[in-house]
Amino acid sequence: MITVSSAFDAGAIEVVSISPEPALEAGGPAARLRLKLPTDNASDFRQWFYFRLQGARGVRCAMHVTNCAQSAYPEGWPEYRAVASTDRQHWFRVPTRFEHGVLIIDWTPPTDDVYLAYFEPYSSERHLDLLARVAGSERARVTRLGASVDGRDIDLVTVGEPAPHKKRVWVIARQHPGETMAEWFIEGLLERVLGACAVAAAVLEKAVLYIVPNMNPDGSARGNLRTNAAGVNLNREWLHPTLDKSPEVFLVRAKMHEVGVDFFLDVHGDESLPYVFIDGSHMLPGRSAANIEREARFIKAVSAACPDFQTEHGYAFDRFSEELLTLASKYVGHTFNCLSVTLEMPFKDNANQPDAQHGWSGARSRTMGAQMLAAIAADLGVT
Ligand code: ZN
């Protein structure tokens, strides 16, 4: 019997129906599954899915996800391909098409126990493994800032010894929990800065890194796309966070005000655009010429350091005008008068350098995180 389940970390799917017995078709046994995207636990956003498919070895499964037209980003589905794994380590793209508002994943699993997801997951266990590994480094400290809505730890990694002459470099990820590429990025950045690396040593002479690998551990574990356990989009909370509804932002923002910010990078994923790009702060009212120049220099440094990065495609400048200062990078850029940008990586692929087998992936996001250290170094003037 073919079954679908999602009762595990970050799991998310609704089952409408599954053919009771595989039908014998010309190409072999085939089954039809009708599935739906569930909403985030306390909001209307839906896009993330992650499920286990059992008992379908050698059966061609047409998995129809029928409510994609009601998803948060319907434009995220054309040209999109789902990822699958047979060992929960290696993820690859599988044949997927989008027809009349329905996403159809058409795949014949090679084993009786496989997983499918919107993007390569970054599990809660891996998150804790990363923190424990980082805490073992002499260069880093892991501190708990407080608790999320569900009571999970909000952890801050501090790399380097704070000193009055040092710049304060902040990097945060996964305000939107379904954007798992953001934490893969952080893993790569941490590995590079904690490894034997001349650039890392030079950076840590001049700066302290404050890194929040996962701003939204509740949403991550619950399989949410965009919100925390209270149904709040954390990247709209930066003007007025509360301990009640958005403690994740409240705690991190309070720490920023305590230690200061000279550089801020907020790492995200974009459902629609098949490119890596930066959304900057040059459009903020009253932005100084020096800050605008610094941002342009940094973007050039990212172009030089990260081959996947490009500047042709991105958000229109006025996209967030009404709610501008509720966004992390705009709030921080405005409040601390510093370099402050949002990095977006694709869910689909990098159309400039497509990978037929993997599309955009955890590995590519991790590589991007490692490469970003050179761009940070350039901003600090150490390379
Ligand atoms: Zn995001």
Side-chain angles (χ1 to χ4, degrees):
M1 192 169 80
I2 295 173
T3 58
V4 165
S5 64
S6 61
F8 48 83
D9 182 80
I13 200 71
E14 277 175 23
V15 180
V16 179
S17 64
I18 301 175
S19 331
E21 291 293 331
L24 274 177
E25 291 184 359
R32 167 161 315 198
L33 296 83
R34 287 174 63 83
L35 309 170
K36 281 188 169 180
L37 303 169
T39 59
D40 286 8
N41 71 289
S43 84
D44 293 335
F45 291 111
R46 53 162 73 89
Q47 192 100 10
W48 174 261
F49 62 86
Y50 180 16
F51 59 88
R52 184 181 186 184
L53 173 63
Q54 291 182 273
R57 185 174 72 179
V59 177
R60 183 175 177 181
C61 290
M63 294 166 258
H64 289 233
V65 186
T66 59
N67 62 342
C68 289
Q70 287 97 52
S71 64
Y73 300 96
E75 67 278 23
W77 304 115
E79 311 298 323
Y80 166 80
R81 291 176 296 151
V83 297
S85 178
T86 58
D87 61 6
R88 298 174 50 76
Q89 302 296 321
H90 176 233
W91 293 81
F92 48 90
R93 301 279 169 168
V94 292
T96 306
R97 59 188 192 276
F98 185 60
E99 289 176 358
H100 311 296
V102 177
L103 188 76
I104 303 168
I105 307 167
D106 185 348
W107 184 49
T108 306
T111 75
D112 272 325
D113 190 5
V114 299
Y115 289 78
L116 289 108
Y118 183 40
F119 190 82
E120 184 171 347
Y122 195 103
S123 71
S124 301
E125 285 297 311
R126 192 177 183 102
H127 165 73
L128 295 176
D129 289 348
L130 174 65
L131 289 167
R133 198 160 73 242
V134 164
S137 164
E138 282 184 0
R139 290 186 194 163
R141 306 291 299 267
V142 176
T143 48
R144 180 182 186 274
L145 298 178
S148 66
V149 172
D150 282 341
R152 288 188 177 82
D153 305 323
I154 303 299
D155 289 298
L156 172 70
V157 178
T158 306
V159 186
E161 284 298 324
H165 70 280
K166 288 187 181 175
K167 300 288 187 199
R168 296 141 300 178
V169 171
W170 280 82
V171 184
I172 70 168
R174 280 189 99 177
Q175 290 198 82
H176 298 143
E179 296 164 8
T180 54
M181 60 287 280
E183 194 161 6
W184 287 106
F185 174 100
I186 294 291
E187 189 175 299
L189 174 62
L190 280 170
E191 280 171 358
R192 178 62 57 87
V193 76
L194 296 177
C197 166
V199 174
V203 164
L204 295 177
E205 286 278 305
K206 279 216 166 184
V208 179
L209 270 59
Y210 296 94
I211 298 176
V212 183
N214 190 340
M215 288 288 296
N216 197 337
D218 294 349
S220 303
R222 286 170 173 271
N224 287 357
L225 173 78
R226 205 156 168 79
T227 56
N228 72 355
V232 168
N233 177 355
L234 296 182
N235 204 26
R236 299 292 182 276
E237 287 290 300
W238 285 75
L239 262 186
H240 304 292
T242 65
L243 265 178
D244 192 30
K245 293 276 190 187
S246 47
E248 302 88 351
V249 173
F250 185 96
L251 295 163
V252 170
R253 202 186 83 142
K255 191 69 183 177
M256 285 178 167
H257 280 277
E258 180 193 322
V259 303
V261 185
D262 297 297
F263 172 109
F264 180 60
L265 178 64
D266 183 16
V267 188
H268 287 254
D270 186 273
E271 289 77 3
S272 307
L273 291 174
Y275 299 102
V276 180
F277 58 97
I278 275 178
D279 191 50
S281 290
H282 52 271
M283 77 296 284
L284 286 173
R287 199 73 173 147
S288 71
N291 268 327
I292 291 169
E293 261 172 52
R294 184 181 169 197
E295 184 176 305
R297 274 201 311 277
F298 176 67
I299 286 172
K300 274 197 185 137
V302 177
S303 296
C306 310
D308 274 308
F309 181 75
Q310 57 81 55
T311 54
E312 196 177 326
H313 306 274
Y315 294 146
F317 293 161
D318 58 353
R319 178 173 156 138
F320 296 118
S321 57
E322 281 175 29
E323 45 189 11
L324 210 57
L325 293 181
T326 64
L327 275 80
S329 69
K330 310 307 186 259
Y331 172 82
V332 171
H334 181 73
T335 305
F336 296 94
N337 192 30
C338 66
L339 179 76
S340 187
V341 298
T342 304
L343 175 72
E344 298 278 355
M345 290 175 283
F347 276 89
K348 295 173 179 173
D349 201 348
N350 173 3
N352 289 333
Q353 296 177 62
D355 178 332
Q357 203 181 351
H358 301 102
W360 191 255
S361 63
R364 291 176 84 177
S365 310
R366 188 165 53 190
T367 297
M368 179 103 204
Q371 291 167 341
M372 189 59 74
L373 190 67
I376 293 171
D379 180 66
L380 293 165
V382 298
T383 52

